[in-house]
Amino acid sequence: MQKLRVLRPIGSLFKLVSGSILAGILVAALVLPIVAGPGYVADKALDFYDTLPTELTEAHAPQTTNVFASDGETLITRFFQENRRQIPLEENGQNVVDAVLSAEDSNFRDHGGVDFPGLIRATAATISGDNPHGASTITMQYVRNTLRYNSTSVADIIEATQRTPDRKLREIKYALDLEKELSKDDILEGYLNVVYLGNHSYGVHAASYTYFNTAPAELELHQAAFIAALPKYPSYADGLLIGDTTNEDRILDRRNWVLDRMADDERITSQKATQAKSEGLDLDPRPARNECNAAEPNNWGFFCDYFTDWWAEQEAFGESRVERLNLLKRGGFNVVTSLDPEAQQKAMDSVHDKADNDDQRAHGSVALTPGTGHVTVMAINRVYSLDQSNNGPRYDERTDIPSNYPNTTLPLLSGNDASYGYPAGSTFKMFTLLAGLEEGYPLRTTIPSPREYPSIYAAGEGATAVCGDQWCPENDSDWMSGGTYNLWKAFGRSSNTVFVQLQEMVGVSKAVEMAERLGVEFREPDSALQKGKEAGTLDTSLGTFTLGFDPIPPIDMAESFATVAAGGQHCEPLPVKAIYDSDGTEWEEPTQPDCEQVIDKEIADAAVSAGHCTVAYDGDKTRCSGATAKQASGFGEPIFGKTGTADEERAYWFVGSTPSATTATFVGDPDSYTHTNVARGWGDKVIDTGLDILKTTSSKEGDWEPPTKEMIKGDDLVKVPKIKCEDPSDAVSKISAAGFQARVSPTQSPSSCPKGQAYSTSVTGSAPSGAPIYILISDGSDYDDDDDDEDDEDDDRGPPELPGPPRNDE
């Protein structure tokens, strides 16, 4: 459609009515109260005309934004203030054009914007007391809509639409000059795109789909006449789409009148009119889907909600959230999102295989593409719906807030200030591992893995295993314990005691900073983590960090592991691939991946290598020893990952990745992340769901480079002196002399040495120069005077291999 141009000044009222003062008086008489005297009417009309603006600016009618899945065809939902899609005149079809012309302006092709004979007839009918006939041409109606859409206040809208003489004169003035500026086809096209046709449908395109679910050009004659019957009586159609037949006879009469007018105008034959009038309404409505609550299928609403929040944060769409969302609802965009419809459906099938929508436990997954951040799957066993009146009871028994099942609009997968996520368990060991690698601890670093470890951290908030005043974390089984572990083995078996020691060496604050660098956002405002940050005590108060006590939404975990999979390149999650405005112009800037290298590629590749051990991937079979996700061993392509059980089985996670896809899959209770035993018996189920989704979303292309020699063996490492049953002060001197920061453990733990003696160090073998080394002190519980005091093993062989890890380990 040709855009409205700024119009030229019109001139005097006498030119407006082609020099006829009588015509001007009749025009004014039509729209002013009949009780007024003729002289008053004419003077009033002339005075008002002289004050009118001389320019009509382009109409900015709202248009519907369509949001599609990644195939560009599968509609997720629409956003609109007015359901409208502007189309060229020819796409309306001849039936619609002829029907509208006969119903609204039979002489449209002949007049110059104002039908003066029609105005005179309408005036005569008004004076005689008959029902007045409409005298607005299609051009005048188009002007009226243009003025309404250019209104900036309620007063402007009222002025543009109410029945007043001023409004009529304004329409006449603009209509005459508009006909000089635009062709008849341009004006008709504009009118067909803005006219209101009932049931929230603006323009013929929206109405055609609303009532008949077909394109305007495909409408049959009786259907086109139905739409042409609505401009003057849109309320007649209200209720029809929901089975209310109150106005059915009225709309049929009006439709048949249109058909008769078409026959009178010789646009159709009388036989065709008769045949069309014999047809019923023939309605086939398409649901008026608007915003995320109307997303189809309804579980796609969670992705839609994430997309909406993303849009509201993009500065390219306006200066404020309100302005940006207003553009979304008015701009007429076609948005191609990143959601893969096939993968999403398969993910939902896999989720529902384990838990239906009525399950109190939420089971879901998010999938991202490393290197771009494109969100391809957001699946969960919930219904996205505002109606939560029949939801099940909450675990915490609160009645002031509805539970989340089966219906909710909480962002259970993406998180916000009202939905923090779920405790992620030992998946957080990835952040400690990366911080350790960055601090210079290579993969061959060996650390003792006792069943229980007396840490340096005070027994504080969130610490359930204590010994005296200290936090003493434990491994869940002997399979994770015994001897010393290198970082491959510690990661594959998920040794709590090893990673707490590694965290002691690098510092909690560095592990937290690593998590945030990779995209994790800690949303809970009063958590121990936030309190530790504010107090500056993270390194002494939050030993639990590496075991994942903090609630995190799945999208953050997928984002962080995707960063590792992409060689350390962090990409903000991105829910769109392309955005086209109503003119078909692509908005490229907002759709570009926002990526930054946040860790060295060599460090990321080393972490991937350790992550191979979790899933028993044979790419590192000579270095791995044990896997907590052993069923992934037959996956068939490069893969790494991490499992995680939150303390007291409050949640279970599996985060896995190939070079082309990352998934974060979980089970937990969104109503209360302190709900215990939620994940009992769910370990294999969560892993299976994660692997199913990973297979669907992965392109099966690419591989990672093996870790470099420096990341395996270290660079300029110093040998840690051996300590065995000696005075702690002597051990401190020995370790300090070797160039390390010697620290004595504040607690004692079992060993074969006499009580109070130093029996080992937190790191054995080699470590970076200047690294903190903790000297471990014996509690004497295993001391035997007859013991021959043979040296403990100081390698990474560990205990004999057992058949496999316990279920729901961590």
Side-chain angles (χ1 to χ4, degrees):
M1 171 184 170
Q2 179 182 353
K3 293 184 178 180
L4 286 179
R5 291 164 286 180
V6 178
L7 305 184
R8 296 190 299 272
I10 294 177
S12 69
L13 178 62
F14 298 99
K15 180 185 290 185
L16 181 149
V17 295
S18 302
S20 171
I21 294 177
L22 176 61
I25 294 174
L26 289 172
V27 168
L30 172 68
V31 292
L32 284 172
I34 300 300
V35 296
Y40 168 81
V41 169
D43 290 344
K44 192 76 172 179
L46 288 167
D47 290 344
F48 175 73
Y49 175 81
D50 286 339
T51 66
L52 285 175
T54 59
E55 295 180 345
L56 178 67
T57 56
E58 177 184 352
H60 296 285
Q63 294 191 64
T64 299
T65 290
N66 296 314
V67 180
F68 298 97
S70 60
D71 58 8
E73 298 177 355
T74 303
L75 182 69
I76 297 174
T77 194
R78 302 181 182 87
F79 289 84
F80 59 81
Q81 291 176 342
E82 297 180 359
N83 185 14
R84 174 186 289 106
R85 171 62 58 179
Q86 295 189 175
I87 58 174
L89 178 62
E90 59 270 16
E91 291 186 16
N92 287 282
Q94 196 62 47
N95 281 342
V96 170
V97 170
D98 288 344
V100 170
L101 289 176
S102 289
E104 293 297 314
D105 193 350
S106 292
N107 299 319
F108 173 73
R109 297 289 183 185
D110 301 323
H111 62 65
V114 179
D115 182 4
F116 288 109
L119 285 174
I120 295 172
R121 288 193 299 272
T123 302
T126 301
I127 295 173
S128 68
D130 294 336
N131 290 329
H133 299 288
S136 291
T137 63
I138 282 177
T139 309
M140 293 167 67
Q141 292 182 56
Y142 183 45
V143 166
R144 185 184 313 153
N145 278 285
T146 299
L147 292 172
R148 179 169 73 89
Y149 288 123
N150 288 336
S151 298
T152 58
S153 68
V154 173
D156 289 343
I157 294 174
I158 293 174
E159 184 180 16
T161 57
Q162 67 181 353
R163 291 178 175 273
T164 65
D166 291 356
R167 189 206 80 187
K168 185 64 70 173
L169 283 178
R170 182 185 296 107
E171 289 174 4
I172 290 171
K173 179 179 183 180
Y174 285 140
L176 288 169
D177 207 55
L178 189 64
E179 292 267 353
K180 300 174 184 177
E181 295 294 320
L182 300 179
S183 69
K184 287 288 186 180
D185 282 352
D186 286 339
I187 295 169
L188 182 58
E189 178 184 292
Y191 171 77
L192 294 177
N193 279 323
V194 299
V195 61
Y196 180 59
L197 298 170
N199 283 291
H200 309 290
S201 299
Y202 291 82
V204 170
H205 182 274
S208 180
Y209 279 98
T210 294
Y211 297 111
F212 303 108
N213 200 19
T214 192
E218 302 299 321
L219 293 175
E220 297 183 21
L221 182 57
H222 67 287
Q223 295 170 326
F226 171 90
I227 287 178
L230 295 175
K232 282 188 173 61
Y233 302 99
S235 63
Y236 283 4
D238 290 345
L240 286 177
L241 302 185
I242 58 174
D244 185 350
T245 59
T246 303
N247 290 317
E248 186 171 328
D249 290 341
R250 287 182 175 181
I251 195 66
L252 277 171
D253 288 344
R254 177 70 180 174
R255 182 203 69 177
N256 292 343
W257 175 84
V258 173
L259 291 166
D260 287 338
R261 288 296 302 268
M262 295 178 72
D264 292 343
D265 293 342
E266 297 184 349
R267 289 188 167 95
I268 61 173
T269 64
S270 58
Q271 291 86 351
K272 284 188 176 182
T274 300
Q275 175 60 38
K277 287 192 290 184
S278 69
E279 299 284 350
L281 287 179
D282 197 23
L283 297 178
D284 180 21
R286 180 174 72 176
R289 291 157 64 179
N290 187 18
E291 304 195 24
C292 297
N293 198 50
E296 186 62 34
N298 53 34
N299 59 71
W300 292 19
F302 297 99
F303 174 85
C304 174
D305 183 76
Y306 180 71
F307 157 76
T308 306
D309 191 61
W310 172 86
W311 183 285
E313 295 298 326
Q314 303 307 304
E315 294 181 359
F317 302 133
E319 295 183 357
S320 67
R321 286 182 64 92
V322 172
E323 186 175 331
R324 296 161 195 161
L325 292 175
N326 187 53
L327 179 65
L328 176 64
K329 297 174 184 179
R330 294 175 58 92
F333 295 95
N334 281 319
V335 179
V336 180
T337 70
S338 57
L339 187 74
D340 184 327
E342 181 179 353
Q344 174 73 11
Q345 186 56 55
K346 289 182 178 179
M348 286 305 305
D349 290 344
S350 184
V351 164
H352 279 141
D353 282 346
K354 284 83 174 179
D356 61 27
N357 295 338
D358 289 322
D359 198 315
Q360 189 178 53
R361 291 164 296 209
H363 179 39
S365 184
V366 171
L368 298 179
T369 303
T372 65
H374 285 132
V375 183
T376 56
V377 165
M378 294 185 79
I380 193 168
N381 61 323
R382 291 294 185 266
V383 175
Y384 190 90
S385 174
L386 294 168
D387 181 8
Q388 297 160 35
S389 57
N390 294 318
N391 278 13
R394 294 172 59 98
Y395 163 75
D396 54 16
E397 298 182 348
R398 291 183 62 175
T399 58
D400 57 325
I401 302 175
S403 73
N404 71 84
Y405 66 98
N407 297 346
T408 187
T409 57
L410 285 174
L412 303 183
L413 297 166
S414 52
N416 65 7
D417 291 340
S419 181
Y420 305 144
Y422 321 87
S426 290
T427 58
F428 268 35
K429 288 173 182 170
M430 174 60 79
F431 309 130
T432 308
L433 172 67
L434 289 165
L437 292 168
E438 193 169 70
E439 286 296 301
Y441 293 96
L443 289 169
R444 287 187 62 178
T445 299
T446 53
I447 300 174
S449 183
R451 182 66 183 262
E452 178 185 271
Y453 174 70
S455 75
I456 66 168
Y457 304 109
E461 185 176 347
T464 57
V466 297
C467 45
D469 294 330
Q470 302 304 118
W471 176 54
C472 297
E474 298 178 344
N475 289 328
D476 286 349
S477 72
D478 289 334
W479 181 79
M480 303 173 182
S481 310
T484 58
Y485 286 9
N486 61 30
L487 297 186
W488 284 295
K489 185 173 182 178
F491 201 77
R493 296 198 179 201
S494 197
S495 169
N496 294 339
T497 57
V498 166
F499 272 90
V500 169
Q501 292 175 80
L502 181 61
Q503 182 178 253
E504 288 176 344
M505 292 182 281
V506 300
V508 177
S509 56
K510 289 183 180 178
V512 171
E513 188 271 336
M514 178 62 71
E516 292 175 330
R517 213 190 304 173
L518 269 60
V520 173
E521 181 179 351
F522 299 102
R523 293 170 172 81
E524 187 180 15
D526 297 323
S527 66
L529 187 149
Q530 298 297 353
K531 293 175 182 177
K533 275 187 172 184
E534 294 169 4
T537 60
L538 283 181
D539 290 328
T540 58
S541 67
L542 201 70
T544 57
F545 178 78
T546 195
L547 304 188
F549 281 35
D550 298 279
I552 300 297
I555 199 167
D556 284 16
M557 292 309 299
E559 178 183 352
S560 61
F561 273 63
T563 301
V564 179
Q569 185 181 57
H570 170 258
C571 298
E572 293 290 340
L574 182 61
V576 299
K577 286 192 170 181
I579 300 173
Y580 304 92
D581 65 19
S582 58
D583 293 331
T585 302
E586 185 173 2
W587 286 35
E588 295 185 5
E589 180 182 352
T591 65
Q592 298 305 304
D594 181 9
C595 302
E596 178 186 3
Q597 193 76 27
V598 295
I599 54 177
D600 291 343
K601 182 178 181 300
E602 292 78 10
I603 292 172
D605 288 341
V608 168
S609 181
H612 289 330
C613 298
T614 299
V615 294
Y617 176 58
D618 62 6
D620 273 320
K621 63 184 178 182
T622 59
R623 295 165 179 158
C624 295
S625 174
T628 58
K630 197 169 185 178
Q631 60 265 51
S633 59
F635 189 75
E637 59 179 299
I639 181 176
F640 80 94
K642 186 70 187 77
T643 56
T645 303
D647 188 52
E648 298 184 274
E649 297 187 296
R650 292 176 292 144
Y652 189 88
W653 288 71
F654 172 65
V655 187
S657 186
T658 69
S660 60
T662 303
T663 61
T665 309
F666 78 101
V667 65
D669 184 354
D671 285 339
S672 176
Y673 71 81
T674 62
H675 188 173
T676 60
N677 296 322
V678 174
R680 178 165 292 177
W682 270 79
D684 289 345
K685 296 177 184 178
V686 172
I687 295 171
D688 288 343
T689 297
L691 292 174
D692 285 347
I693 297 173
L694 198 56
K695 287 177 182 177
T696 303
T697 54
S698 178
S699 68
K700 299 177 176 57
E701 296 179 356
D703 199 351
W704 296 283
E705 293 184 12
T708 63
K709 178 181 177 181
E710 289 73 17
M711 297 310 300
I712 294 174
K713 297 182 177 181
D715 188 17
D716 297 327
L717 297 184
V718 177
K719 186 173 180 58
V720 178
K722 291 184 179 182
I723 303 296
K724 181 61 177 177
C725 297
E726 54 193 272
D727 186 88
S729 60
D730 292 338
V732 169
S733 298
K734 187 183 297 185
I735 298 301
S736 297
F740 300 105
Q741 299 179 47
R743 301 175 182 178
V744 178
S745 174
T747 58
Q748 298 178 350
S749 53
S751 87
S752 60
C753 293
K755 182 177 180 179
Q757 288 194 347
Y759 71 88
S760 187
T761 51
S762 56
V763 180
T764 60
S766 300
S769 178
I773 301 292
Y774 285 90
I775 297 168
L776 307 182
I777 307 300
S778 175
D779 65 3
S781 60
D782 294 337
Y783 174 64
D784 186 346
D785 288 333
D786 296 326
D787 195 341
D788 60 4
D789 290 335
E790 291 181 2
D791 288 343
D792 291 336
E793 289 182 326
D794 193 28
D795 56 30
D796 62 340
R797 288 174 293 173
E801 292 288 343
L802 300 180
R807 295 187 184 279
N808 286 358
D809 64 284
E810 310 298 324

